[in-house]
């Protein structure tokens, strides 16, 4: 994928996220710096550290969405994880190094998928030949094995060989035309089952059960089982098996680790929950201790994973939190220093809600129109209805807890509850959502503050 300039990155983010100009600029610069670092002389490349970011803002304003879309733009391994999941070393729970192992696993799966795409056509050809072997048991004509070798004993000769070739050619044509789709074939498939192993352990050993299962599966002889499946399913199974065989896993792992080390992105949500406060009493196992454990990972260290050693020096960390009960300065100074860029995101009001409902490629109104079209219903939101939904969401956010754009989901679900439930009976109709329709459906709930607190 071509390297995008910061304005181009912001333009792409604008397609899905409304507002938050400062946050978009900051992440665009951070992503572009990734590309710039790869262009500098090699002796200087390792000296340039990523500029980690803290995004500060209430829930539902787009913090997670910005990071997720950024990773998709860069085609980077991306992991979102809550900082509050971790506990200090020595306590039962997840240790901070597990996020690097998770990111590495995601990267391996991503690269493996890309490699499978590159060999899928070859795998389909091999799977087709194997399917024809099952449909037409016996020796293949010599042409299938290539020219120069001596003809093995048992090969068909003369007219009999020509007849087999013609039959195989005819079967191939029928197979490609889908005229054999209803036929069943017996297929030998690998039996992937292995003994169930579950381990309850302290931090740092989350992978032990996976490693034990892999070890046991490698020690035990590979079993196969016979299945009777339709021809299309047989083709799919054989294609997947052949694609796995064609992939060089050593190359996949090497590329995956490189991708983690040079373009991995970790989104640390709820970082304000591990900020220490002076009022805290008693054991503080999930706050300052977690910050101390996070520090070497963010600063740059080497983590042992089942795929090998992974360096975190150039992984980009984007942290976020509401910081309504604490502030960034409550983090330990060393950790603050590793997040030099701080961006405050704006709260969302009625104008932003209107834009969210209309402008993005994945706008809520577009989503509901697409959902109802599957039932044959033409759902239409008129101009005033969007304003009304935005106003209701803003009013409820003002009176109760402010959950940002997530309030639009609750309002829309309540508004379209009856249509969604009876959609199977309304096929072929055109339903127009008007301001009057919304007032009729939501008026009583919006007026009753106690009721809206629990329903909206």
């Amino acid at each position: 994928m071509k390297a995008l300039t910061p304005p181009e990155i912001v333009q792409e983010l604008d397609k899905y996220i409304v507002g938050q100009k400062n946050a978009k600029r900051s992440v665009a610069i951070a992503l572009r710096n990734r590309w710039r670092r790869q262009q500098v002389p090699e002796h200087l490349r390792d000296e340039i550290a990523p500029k980690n970011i803290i995004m500060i803002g209430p829930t539902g304003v787009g913090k997670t969405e910005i990071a997720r879309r950024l990773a998709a733009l860069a085609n980077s391994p991306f992991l979102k994880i809550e900082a509050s999941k971790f506990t200090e070393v020595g306590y039962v729970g997840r240790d901070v190094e597990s996020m690097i192992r998770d990111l590495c696993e995601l990267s391996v799966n991503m690269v493996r998928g890309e490699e499978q795409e590159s060999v899928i056509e070859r795998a389909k050809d091999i799977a087709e030949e194997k399917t024809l072997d099952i449909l037409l048991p016996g020796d293949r004509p010599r042409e299938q094995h290539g020219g120069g070798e001596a003809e093995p004993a048992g090969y068909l000769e003369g007219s009999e060989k020509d007849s087999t070739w013609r039959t195989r050619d005819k079967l191939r044509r029928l197979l490609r035309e889908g005229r054999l789709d209803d036929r069943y074939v017996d297929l030998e498939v690998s039996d992937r089952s292995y003994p169930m192993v579950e381990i309850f352990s302290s931090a740092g050993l989350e992978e032990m059960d996976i490693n034990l299962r892999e070890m046991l599966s490698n020690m035990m002889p590979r079993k196969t089982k016979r299945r009777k499946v339709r021809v299309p399913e047989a083709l799919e199974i054989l294609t997947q098996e052949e694609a796995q065989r064609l992939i060089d896993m050593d190359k996949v792992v090497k590329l995956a680790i490189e991708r983690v080390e040079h373009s991995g992105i970790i989104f640390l949500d709820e970082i304000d929950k591990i900020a220490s406060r002076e009022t805290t009493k008693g054991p503080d196992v999930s706050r300052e201790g977690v910050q101390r454990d996070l520090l070497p990972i963010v600063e740059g260290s080497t983590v042992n994973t089942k795929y090998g050693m992974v360096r975190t020096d150039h992984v980009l960390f984007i942290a976020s939190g509401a910081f309504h009960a604490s502030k960034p300065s409550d983090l330990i100074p060393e950790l603050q220093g590793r997040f030099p860029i701080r961006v405050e995101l704006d709260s969302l009001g009625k104008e932003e809600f209107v834009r969210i409902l209309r402008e993005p490629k994945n706008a809520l109104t577009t989503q509901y129109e697409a959902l109802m079209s599957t039932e044959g219903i033409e759902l239409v939101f008129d101009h005033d209805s969007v304003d009304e939904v935005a106003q209701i969401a803003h009013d409820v956010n003002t009176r109760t807890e402010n959950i940002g754009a997530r309030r639009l989901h609750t309002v829309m679900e309540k508004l379209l509850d009856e249509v969604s439930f009876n959609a199977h009976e309304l096929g072929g109709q055109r339903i127009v959502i008007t301001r009057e329709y919304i007032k009729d459906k939501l008026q009583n709930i919006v007026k009753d503050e106690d009721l809206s607190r629990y329903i909206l």
Side-chain angles (χ1 to χ4, degrees):
M1 187 171 180
K2 76 182 185 75
L4 298 173
T5 63
E8 288 172 336
I9 294 168
V10 171
Q11 189 177 358
E12 288 296 319
L13 293 175
D14 283 341
K15 293 178 183 177
Y16 298 96
I17 302 148
V18 168
Q20 313 304 357
K21 181 181 176 182
N22 292 335
K24 289 174 184 173
R25 283 174 62 94
S26 295
V27 297
I29 292 168
L31 187 60
R32 182 64 175 181
N33 281 339
R34 284 281 180 86
W35 177 83
R36 290 168 180 156
R37 176 179 163 270
Q38 296 299 324
Q39 314 307 313
V40 302
E42 196 166 342
H43 71 276
L44 195 58
R45 201 173 296 166
D46 284 343
E47 305 300 324
I48 300 173
K51 306 301 183 284
N52 299 321
I53 302 166
I54 291 184
M55 292 195 284
I56 305 163
T59 183
V61 296
K63 301 188 294 291
T64 304
E65 190 68 7
I66 286 173
R68 192 164 64 85
R69 296 290 175 186
L70 187 75
L73 279 177
N75 195 27
S76 301
F78 172 76
L79 177 72
K80 175 189 179 291
I81 196 157
E82 284 75 33
S84 53
K85 277 188 176 180
F86 301 121
T87 60
E88 188 177 350
V89 168
Y91 292 89
V92 174
R94 299 202 74 189
D95 69 310
V96 294
E97 289 187 353
S98 65
M99 62 184 173
I100 303 300
R101 293 192 284 268
D102 292 344
L103 186 66
C104 200
E105 192 71 44
L106 286 168
S107 183
V108 168
N109 290 336
M110 182 188 292
V111 177
R112 185 194 288 125
E114 291 170 4
E115 290 293 311
Q116 278 188 340
E117 285 297 316
S118 67
V119 301
I120 198 70
E121 292 305 320
R122 282 175 61 201
K124 283 180 179 177
D125 292 341
I126 298 170
E128 184 181 81
E129 294 301 330
K130 286 195 170 186
T131 306
L132 290 172
D133 288 343
I134 297 168
L135 290 167
L136 188 64
D139 292 321
R140 291 195 202 178
R142 184 182 176 192
E143 289 85 348
Q144 294 294 314
H145 290 268
E149 299 175 6
E151 190 171 290
Y155 257 96
L156 302 172
E157 295 184 357
S159 61
E160 198 175 347
K161 182 170 68 176
D162 293 338
S163 173
T164 304
W165 176 261
R166 285 195 299 271
T167 305
R168 190 180 184 89
D169 218 26
K170 183 180 177 184
L171 270 176
R172 180 181 282 106
R173 191 167 59 253
L174 293 173
L175 181 65
R176 290 176 178 175
E177 291 172 358
R179 291 162 68 181
L180 302 177
D181 287 358
D182 292 332
R183 183 177 292 190
Y184 283 87
V185 294
D186 289 328
L187 194 63
E188 290 279 348
V189 296
S190 299
D191 187 0
R192 296 177 181 274
S193 62
Y194 31 72
M196 177 63 71
V197 179
E198 189 169 359
I199 291 177
F200 297 92
S201 62
S202 60
L205 298 176
E206 294 97 338
E207 288 187 322
M208 183 175 280
D209 59 334
I210 299 170
N211 293 336
L212 268 176
R213 281 186 287 175
E214 287 182 356
M215 184 178 70
L216 288 170
S217 65
N218 290 332
M219 287 169 58
M220 294 177 180
R222 190 171 294 277
K223 294 181 181 177
T224 59
K225 59 182 178 181
R226 202 169 191 81
R227 288 179 59 193
K228 189 177 281 291
V229 296
R230 291 181 186 271
V231 167
E233 189 181 349
L235 272 170
E236 183 64 30
I237 292 169
L238 290 170
T239 300
Q240 292 301 320
E241 286 187 354
E242 292 305 321
Q244 287 291 341
R245 288 195 186 101
L246 290 168
I247 291 173
D248 181 357
M249 276 309 293
D250 291 337
K251 177 186 171 188
V252 166
V253 169
K254 184 182 176 186
L255 287 173
I257 290 177
E258 284 179 7
R259 195 173 289 188
V260 168
E261 291 182 339
H262 298 293
S263 64
I265 298 174
I266 291 181
F267 182 72
L268 271 173
D269 204 3
E270 309 291 357
I271 198 168
D272 56 318
K273 303 297 188 293
I274 63 167
S276 299
R277 297 188 291 273
E278 292 179 4
T279 55
T280 303
K281 304 223 181 213
D284 199 9
V285 300
S286 60
R287 287 188 180 153
E288 193 165 319
V290 177
Q291 292 183 57
R292 287 194 298 269
D293 292 343
L294 269 174
L295 187 59
I297 304 292
V298 179
E299 281 184 336
S301 60
T302 303
V303 177
N304 187 20
T305 73
K306 67 179 182 180
Y307 298 108
M309 307 301 282
V310 177
R311 292 177 58 200
T312 66
D313 301 65
H314 301 288
V315 173
L316 176 65
F317 289 86
I318 301 175
S320 80
F323 288 100
H324 59 274
S326 60
K327 50 191 183 295
S329 58
D330 290 331
L331 297 168
I332 61 174
E334 296 87 349
L335 195 60
Q336 291 181 48
R338 298 306 297 181
F339 287 89
I341 302 173
R342 296 180 192 178
V343 185
E344 193 159 353
L345 281 81
D346 305 318
S347 295
L348 302 177
K350 181 191 170 184
E351 293 76 15
E352 289 79 21
F353 287 162
V354 170
R355 292 181 59 199
I356 288 169
L357 289 167
R358 285 181 182 153
E359 294 179 13
K361 285 177 108 177
N362 59 341
L364 267 181
T365 50
T366 306
Q367 292 179 30
Y368 280 101
E369 286 166 2
L371 283 172
M372 291 301 104
S373 68
T374 62
E375 304 270 8
I377 298 171
E378 185 185 354
L379 189 67
V380 180
F381 291 86
D382 71 8
H383 188 273
D384 291 337
S385 68
V386 173
D387 284 350
E388 186 67 21
V389 169
Q391 185 64 56
I392 290 171
H394 174 69
D395 291 345
V396 177
N397 270 349
T398 304
R399 290 205 312 263
T400 62
E401 192 71 30
N402 185 357
I403 60 171
R406 291 190 177 94
R407 185 71 68 187
L408 292 171
H409 291 269
T410 59
V411 173
M412 292 286 281
E413 278 296 318
K414 189 62 188 171
L415 172 65
L416 297 171
D417 177 75
E418 190 175 327
V419 174
S420 296
F421 188 79
N422 297 312
H424 61 287
E425 299 174 352
L426 304 173
Q429 295 189 26
R430 186 175 190 266
I431 299 174
V432 180
I433 306 297
T434 62
R435 188 188 292 269
E436 289 69 31
Y437 180 92
I438 295 169
K439 285 182 176 178
D440 180 56
K441 293 290 179 186
L442 301 179
Q443 190 173 26
N444 293 333
I445 295 172
V446 172
K447 279 184 179 177
D448 190 332
E449 186 172 332
D450 291 332
L451 196 58
S452 65
R453 187 182 297 275
Y454 291 101
I455 295 179
L456 295 180

